[in-house]
Amino acid sequence: MTFETLSAQAERLAAAPYAAPPSELPPALTGLDYDGYRSIVFRPSEGVPLGRHFSAQLFHRGFLQRKRVALYLQPRSGPARPIPYESRMFDLGGRLAGQGFPADLGFAGFRLHYAFPDTPAWRPKGFQEEFLVFLGASYFRLRAAGQEYGLSARGLSIGTGAPEGEEFPDFVAHWLCEPEPEARSLTVLSLLDSPSVSGAYRFVITPGDPARIAVTASLHPRTTIPRLGLAPLTSMFLYGQNGPGARGAKPFDDFRPQVHDSDGLCVATPGDRLWRPLVNGRRQPQISAFAAKPLAGFGLLQRERSFAAYLDVEARQEARPGLWVSPDRGDAFAEGAVQLYEIPSDEEYMDNIVAAFAPADPVRPGTALRLAYGLTTVGAEPADAIPQPALARVTETRFGSAERLRPTVPPRPERRLCMIDFEGPSLPKGPDETVAAEVSASAGTLHEPVANFVPQTGGWRIYVEWRPPQPMPAGDIVLRARLVRGANPISETWDAAV
């Protein structure tokens, strides 16, 4: 199987009526709960070797993972070979002990393992560590060496935020391509299908720190798709530096100061970079759009890297990766906007944040959509993958009463003080009267913006008082701020919804 032959297969598939992947399961697997499914463990001795440095382990079907995904091994020469299911490949756990399932049961997905060059000495020789998972619809999760799994990427999103509901395309088949024996990169070919579109994907995967995936795709719509999301990222944000963040949202009763896998969306154009802190606690889902022409990249990032910010020994949210999308070529990312979907959530296990590039025009059948982009994990910043390295980045966003600094009689509780911290190697290392705060508000008024050097951090801070309009509008109000020297920006643009 090659990417070209897979693309031709996807085009033929799109010309035929949609057929959902098999989801029938034996009753013993259908009736599993979360703990029962988690007790099914793949036996490492049954792993699929891929050169000297990679191997694949497989996921059993059951519980929520009902759809069958076809898995193939593609040798360096010759035809692809199906990877057959056998019950002995798994330790089925106490509830299913002694049972067997038919050979056509198949698999739910796979995960890749890699022998990182800097594996600790206490690990056994040749130890391979898991770093990438393909499981469920078109979801996959990637982490760099030393990171924990966090947000997910997806092959495609369709109708996110639409009143009629979202359509979730499936990766229905994967081909694991055998690499050269000493290769440090691995290729996976994947076939995507859904009622609206069929597509071929090529993932060239390079683990490390950072980890990278070069994605090439050929999409063939069956129907007109008014809301298509390219290179979608999905994450969780429960609450952060300023509580849930939404106007009037109730606080969380939790010992942890913050709970999130990502704390902001970053969008870059060749001349600017924007940072939108994430928000939870609205009464209704919110869609925000960020025009970016041309788009240099976007990502959901986890900028707060201190354990003290989370205090969660098990989740280790300070070690969760960000993920950066870098468009490579073609017209797929030329016209449109990066869209952010924020869904109210009270549950930590729910991914309630989606970011994707939405083409300006609906995608119509009969015309293939070809795209190429890179995915790169991001840890502590600055990071090489993110454009405009000279621009300082936002590191803190906080709101509070302005009355504490500028009291009035009687007090006016609607007066709000915004505090934004910036850090970056290009900022002045001491007080500098040429640095100023540039601020704007879509509604209400901003008063007395001040830019100060912060000797405790070596960064800079903007203080500005925001006085909301009365009455407050129903939708979000957007506040913006950045550091400038003269007419030149020296920081990214803070863009907050209040």
Side-chain angles (χ1 to χ4, degrees):
M1 178 64 71
T2 66
F3 177 69
E4 290 70 27
T5 55
L6 186 60
S7 297
Q9 180 178 337
E11 185 174 11
R12 292 191 298 271
L13 192 61
Y18 171 70
S23 59
E24 299 79 13
L25 285 173
L29 296 175
T30 304
L32 287 175
D33 58 15
Y34 175 80
D35 291 330
Y37 181 70
R38 293 266 297 176
S39 69
I40 301 176
V41 178
F42 186 83
R43 301 182 190 276
S45 60
E46 300 294 330
V48 181
L50 299 164
R52 283 191 56 199
H53 304 296
F54 293 91
S55 63
Q57 297 188 14
L58 315 177
F59 286 102
H60 208 281
R61 295 173 64 199
F63 184 46
L64 300 179
Q65 306 300 334
R66 300 191 176 194
K67 294 180 180 178
R68 186 172 67 204
V69 178
L71 297 180
Y72 301 87
L73 176 62
Q74 175 60 62
R76 294 197 300 277
S77 61
R81 302 194 300 267
I83 301 175
Y85 168 85
E86 295 182 68
S87 295
R88 65 172 180 80
M89 303 169 79
F90 297 87
D91 179 349
L92 296 175
R95 189 175 304 182
L96 300 176
Q99 296 195 41
F101 298 101
D104 64 355
L105 180 70
F107 304 101
F110 70 95
R111 60 184 179 228
L112 291 179
H113 293 237
Y114 176 66
F116 288 96
D118 55 352
T119 298
W122 56 268
R123 293 285 195 187
K125 186 177 180 179
F127 175 80
Q128 294 184 353
E129 187 175 354
E130 178 188 330
F131 74 98
L132 176 62
V133 171
F134 279 80
L135 181 65
S138 67
Y139 285 79
F140 55 101
R141 302 174 81 188
L142 175 69
R143 67 175 187 87
Q147 292 180 334
E148 298 289 326
Y149 283 130
L151 81 170
S152 299
R154 284 197 261 172
L156 207 61
S157 63
I158 298 176
T160 305
E164 62 273 18
E166 185 170 354
E167 177 182 314
F168 292 89
D170 294 298
F171 282 133
V172 297
H174 299 282
W175 287 260
L176 310 180
C177 299
E178 183 183 22
E180 295 292 334
E182 297 297 332
R184 294 286 183 175
S185 293
L186 181 72
T187 297
V188 173
L189 302 176
S190 303
L191 179 64
L192 178 140
D193 201 22
S194 81
S196 297
V197 66
S198 182
Y201 283 74
R202 176 173 58 209
F203 301 96
V204 181
I205 303 157
T206 306
D209 186 11
R212 295 183 172 90
I213 302 179
V215 184
T216 308
S218 175
L219 305 177
H220 303 271
R222 280 192 176 90
T223 63
T224 298
I225 307 174
R227 292 195 185 195
L228 184 66
L230 305 180
L233 308 174
T234 300
S235 192
M236 178 272 293
F237 179 86
L238 208 59
Y239 59 95
Q241 295 166 352
N242 194 44
R247 187 189 311 160
K250 65 179 182 180
F252 283 86
D253 187 12
D254 196 309
F255 76 91
R256 296 169 295 178
Q258 303 184 44
V259 177
H260 49 75
D261 287 342
S262 306
D263 52 14
L265 169 70
C266 192
V267 180
T269 60
D272 195 11
R273 201 173 66 224
L274 176 144
W275 175 255
R276 164 61 71 91
L278 297 178
V279 166
N280 186 25
R282 297 184 181 92
R283 296 190 178 187
Q284 298 294 329
Q286 173 77 9
I287 302 176
S288 305
F290 305 89
K293 185 178 180 181
L295 176 67
F298 71 94
L300 289 174
L301 305 181
Q302 183 79 315
R303 282 193 166 164
E304 179 55 76
R305 291 282 157 188
S306 167
F307 168 75
Y310 304 99
L311 300 178
D312 195 324
V313 176
E314 295 181 355
R316 293 194 62 213
Q317 288 167 340
E318 73 278 2
R320 302 293 172 99
L323 205 53
W324 187 260
V325 178
S326 303
D328 284 351
R329 60 184 182 274
D331 297 331
F333 295 91
E335 299 288 342
V338 175
Q339 292 193 345
L340 174 67
Y341 305 86
E342 295 169 299
I343 302 166
S345 175
D346 293 326
E347 303 294 343
E348 187 175 346
Y349 64 80
M350 175 183 172
D351 281 346
N352 62 322
I353 304 295
V354 181
F357 182 82
D361 298 322
V363 177
R364 305 186 187 280
T367 302
L369 182 64
R370 306 190 189 281
L371 55 147
Y373 58 93
L375 292 171
T376 305
T377 58
V378 177
E381 296 177 67
D384 292 341
I386 300 176
Q388 305 296 326
L391 295 177
R393 62 195 178 279
V394 177
T395 58
E396 294 273 351
T397 297
R398 296 187 184 274
F399 293 89
S401 170
E403 289 289 331
R404 307 211 29 114
L405 295 180
R406 304 179 183 89
T408 60
V409 180
R412 295 175 55 190
E414 69 273 11
R415 294 173 57 195
R416 307 296 293 164
L417 185 70
C418 313
M419 186 282 291
I420 312 106
D421 275 344
F422 299 83
E423 292 182 8
S426 62
L427 290 177
K429 305 307 179 187
D432 188 329
E433 293 182 358
T434 67
V435 176
E438 184 178 271
V439 300
S440 65
S442 64
T445 57
L446 294 171
H447 297 264
E448 300 181 22
V450 176
N452 284 340
F453 173 69
V454 183
Q456 292 86 346
T457 65
W460 279 72
R461 175 174 292 182
I462 290 178
Y463 294 103
V464 61
E465 180 184 335
W466 175 56
R467 297 179 185 176
Q470 297 297 329
M472 288 282 281
D476 281 347
I477 294 171
V478 175
L479 309 181
R480 286 192 166 189
R482 64 181 181 180
L483 294 170
V484 296
R485 179 185 275 123
N488 299 316
I490 59 174
S491 77
E492 63 189 7
T493 300
W494 173 79
D495 178 288
V498 293

